[in-house]
Amino acid sequence: MKNILLQVKADSVVTETISNTDATTFSIWFWVAIIEFFIIVFLFLKLKKKGNDLKFGDLSKDKMRNAKKSDVDMDNLMNSINGSKDLYKELSRTCHPDRFINADKQKLAEEIFQDISKHKRDFKKLTELKERAITELNINFK
């Protein structure tokens, strides 16, 4: 009978210890959160006191001004994104050196094919290579 009472008493001590640990952990994290909050408020007030007049939208306006001044060819960029894959497939099929029997045309086709492989994401260069293939290899594209 004494063993059962001691066991129950031991279990209740353990549960009280766990609940005290949880409360201690909670209070520690609570105070850490309060301290972090005051640090953030302090830094915010410090920045405001400096007279930092840079507003949130000003940064993007500066980037837009610089983007307008840059020499980016947006038409070539959009064509490179959208059309270069299909044009590359078409050119690589039609200009492959194995399609030509004549040794001179085969060497020329090999040069053009290497350029096509080198510039497979540049739409502008691929269109130039297509014109070159039409004139030098006498290829008719559909």
Side-chain angles (χ1 to χ4, degrees):
M1 189 96 174
K2 286 184 181 180
N3 289 338
I4 294 173
L5 289 175
L6 288 175
Q7 193 174 21
V8 170
K9 197 171 194 181
D11 289 341
S12 64
V13 170
V14 171
T15 53
E16 286 177 12
T17 308
I18 291 172
S19 63
N20 286 340
T21 306
D22 289 341
T24 307
T25 306
F26 173 74
S27 65
I28 289 171
W29 286 113
F30 175 76
W31 287 108
V32 167
I34 295 293
I35 291 169
E36 287 178 349
F37 175 74
F38 283 117
I39 289 172
I40 291 170
V41 168
F42 170 75
L43 291 174
F44 179 72
L45 292 174
K46 188 176 177 183
L47 282 174
K48 195 164 186 155
K49 190 182 231 184
K50 269 186 175 181
N52 190 359
D53 292 334
L54 185 63
K55 294 180 182 154
F56 182 73
D58 290 346
L59 217 81
S60 60
K61 289 177 186 175
D62 290 338
K63 286 184 180 180
M64 289 301 291
R65 284 187 206 120
N66 292 338
K68 288 178 184 176
K69 292 178 185 177
S70 66
D71 296 330
V72 176
D73 186 10
M74 290 303 288
D75 188 40
N76 184 33
L77 180 66
M78 293 307 291
N79 285 334
S80 294
I81 292 170
N82 296 326
S84 62
K85 185 176 179 181
D86 295 331
L87 185 58
Y88 169 74
K89 284 181 180 179
E90 180 184 12
L91 286 174
S92 63
R93 266 188 256 119
T94 56
C95 297
H96 198 276
D98 292 343
R99 297 190 71 188
F100 298 95
I101 300 171
N102 189 352
D104 295 333
K105 281 193 175 185
Q106 192 173 20
K107 286 181 183 179
L108 187 60
E110 189 174 325
E111 290 175 18
I112 293 173
F113 186 75
Q114 287 176 355
D115 285 340
I116 290 168
S117 298
K118 187 177 175 182
H119 300 287
K120 68 180 180 181
R121 292 195 175 100
D122 187 4
F123 186 79
K124 188 174 183 180
K125 185 66 177 176
L126 288 175
T127 54
E128 291 172 6
L129 289 170
K130 183 177 181 179
E131 293 299 319
R132 182 177 172 199
I134 289 171
T135 57
E136 295 178 10
L137 296 174
N138 297 326
I139 296 176
N140 294 326
F141 289 95
K142 296 176 184 175

